[in-house]
Amino acid sequence: SAVISQKPSRDICQRGTSLTIQCQVDSQVTMMFWYRQQPGQSLTLIATANQGSEATYESGFVIDKFPISRPNLTFSTLTVSNMSPEDSSIYLCSLNRDTNQETQYFGPGTRLLVL
Amino acid sequence: AQRVTQPEKLLSVFKGAPVELKCNYSYSGSPELFWYVQYSRQRLQLLLRHISRESIKGFTADLNKGETSFHLKKPFAQEEDSAMYYCALKVPGTYKYIFGTGTRLKVLA
């Protein structure tokens, strides 16, 4: 398994502001992932973050709105920019650890409420 | 389109009763399917995957390609099984997972 921590665990933010979520892993991993879970919805992949290269975004997500950093193999950040109430969600980071890289390990999530 | 459907938002059963959490998928090739579980105040974690054909905590899931289903079953539910269950499809050859909306299982004493 993997130890994954996220900061903050929750936050309440004002419309128009930005929030940066941090994800720390206990050992080096090549690929990290950021998901969003809106209320009553399924987990949706936002982007894949590789160390040393630009993040790869899924359809419907753009770098200007969700800039991602991956400065090393144990850390990543996701910024939710210019927030609106529709951004209220749980944001999760995850990674693959198995040798066949099937299983996703998830962080505890960051619960964001935008007023 | 690739999609995972869990038709039940909430499933309540009595302790000792059989449980079946439904999952249907839409995918043109041979998918890799998983069940993830989230217990109260815990993070999302893997329960089982169809490739392993394993039974975890008494749960099993069989991939039925004809019906495009991957239902999760347990013959006798326990109170500690109460949790949120997510069915997920991994697109082969990629790292992309598609999750269903989840089913909350409540096992009543």
Side-chain angles (χ1 to χ4, degrees), chain A residues 2-5 31 33 35 37 40-43 45 58 92 96 98 100-104 106-108, chain B residues 9 32 34 36 38 42-46 49 51-52 84 86 90 94-102:
Chain A
V3 176
I4 308 171
S5 60
M31 301 181 75
F33 307 89
Y35 284 84
Q37 186 176 22
Q41 304 295 315
S42 63
L43 283 79
L45 182 63
E58 296 298 310
L92 301 108
N96 290 352
D98 291 350
N100 56 5
Q101 305 210 320
E102 279 188 341
T103 306
Q104 291 256 295
F106 287 89
Chain B
K9 284 192 173 181
E32 298 171 23
F34 303 79
Y36 282 81
Q38 188 167 25
Q42 295 186 28
R43 65 189 64 191
L44 194 61
Q45 59 187 286
L46 177 69
R49 47 192 166 188
I51 285 179
S52 302
M84 195 75 181
Y86 294 92
K90 179 176 178 287
T94 77
Y95 294 100
K96 183 171 181 178
Y97 286 75
I98 300 166
F99 284 83
T101 50

Side-chain angles (χ1 to χ4, degrees), chain A residues 1 3 11 26-27 29 33-34 37 39 43 48 56 58 61 66 69 71-72 85 88 91 94 99-100 103 111 115:
Chain A
S1 64
V3 176
D11 207 342
D26 64 336
S27 59
V29 292
F33 307 89
W34 286 98
Q37 186 176 22
L43 283 79
T48 303
T56 303
E58 296 298 310
F61 298 97
F66 297 101
S69 79
N72 58 55
S88 299
Y91 292 87
S94 73
T99 52
N100 56 5
T103 306
R111 188 178 295 269
L115 302 176

Side-chain angles (χ1 to χ4, degrees), chain A residues 15-101:
Chain A
R15 181 195 300 261
T17 63
S18 298
L19 175 72
T20 295
I21 302 168
Q22 299 178 9
C23 181
Q24 180 75 52
V25 188
D26 64 336
S27 59
Q28 296 180 344
V29 292
T30 304
M31 301 181 75
M32 293 175 71
F33 307 89
W34 286 98
Y35 284 84
R36 179 176 74 180
Q37 186 176 22
Q38 293 177 301
Q41 304 295 315
S42 63
L43 283 79
T44 303
L45 182 63
I46 297 172
T48 303
N50 293 335
Q51 196 272 331
S53 64
E54 294 286 328
T56 303
Y57 288 82
E58 296 298 310
S59 175
F61 298 97
V62 295
I63 187 171
D64 289 347
K65 176 66 176 177
F66 297 101
I68 287 171
S69 79
R70 186 77 204 275
N72 58 55
L73 291 172
T74 62
F75 188 77
S76 179
T77 68
L78 170 77
T79 299
V80 187
S81 304
N82 188 23
M83 287 183 285
S84 66
E86 292 72 34
D87 294 320
S88 299
S89 291
I90 298 173
Y91 292 87
L92 301 108
C93 69
S94 73
L95 54 91
N96 290 352
R97 181 57 62 82
D98 291 350
T99 52
N100 56 5
Q101 305 210 320

Side-chain angles (χ1 to χ4, degrees), chain B residues 14-19 57-58 73-79 81 107:
Chain B
F14 284 102
K15 178 181 173 182
V19 172
K57 299 185 179 183
K73 300 178 183 179
K74 184 169 183 177
F76 308 103
Q78 304 299 313
E79 289 181 75
D81 296 327
V107 181

Side-chain angles (χ1 to χ4, degrees), chain B residues 23-74:
Chain B
C23 172
N24 288 91
Y25 65 90
S26 174
Y27 182 71
S28 58
S30 294
E32 298 171 23
L33 287 154
F34 303 79
W35 276 98
Y36 282 81
V37 61
Q38 188 167 25
Y39 301 102
S40 178
R41 302 183 196 283
Q42 295 186 28
R43 65 189 64 191
L44 194 61
Q45 59 187 286
L46 177 69
L47 179 64
L48 56 79
R49 47 192 166 188
H50 92 271
I51 285 179
S52 302
R53 292 187 162 273
E54 56 202 345
S55 173
I56 303 293
K57 299 185 179 183
F59 285 98
T60 59
D62 291 320
L63 176 60
N64 185 324
K65 291 188 179 180
E67 296 182 356
T68 59
S69 68
F70 189 56
H71 303 327
L72 184 67
K73 300 178 183 179
K74 184 169 183 177

